[in-house]
Amino acid sequence: MTGMTVWKCEQWFGGELHEQKVFRSEEQARDFARRLMDAAPDMMLKIEAMPIQHVWN
């Protein structure tokens, strides 16, 4: 299943979507989120697994 799943990290600021990034593994997404939270603690993050078909056609 890991080859067919990517992890999306959404960055929310002030109730608005600021940016989205896609990672190949949950570990990469969570590492990115940890580093971002150190730099911008007021930013909300959402990490979720997505089937790769929802990202690329």
Side-chain angles (χ1 to χ4, degrees):
M1 184 166 139
T2 53
M4 301 300 287
T5 303
V6 293
W7 293 82
K8 179 174 73 170
C9 180
E10 295 180 345
Q11 302 167 30
W12 291 82
F13 185 76
E16 294 185 15
L17 181 61
H18 180 65
E19 189 174 352
Q20 295 182 65
K21 293 194 179 282
V22 177
F23 298 90
R24 290 183 172 242
S25 72
E26 181 179 11
E27 181 180 330
Q28 290 174 332
R30 297 209 179 272
D31 183 52
F32 172 78
R34 273 190 295 277
R35 287 185 281 127
L36 186 60
M37 288 305 298
D38 289 340
D42 54 344
M43 187 166 291
M44 298 293 294
L45 299 171
K46 177 182 174 186
I47 298 173
E48 66 179 318
M50 294 182 58
I52 199 164
Q53 296 87 348
H54 291 183
V55 181
W56 292 284
N57 293 333

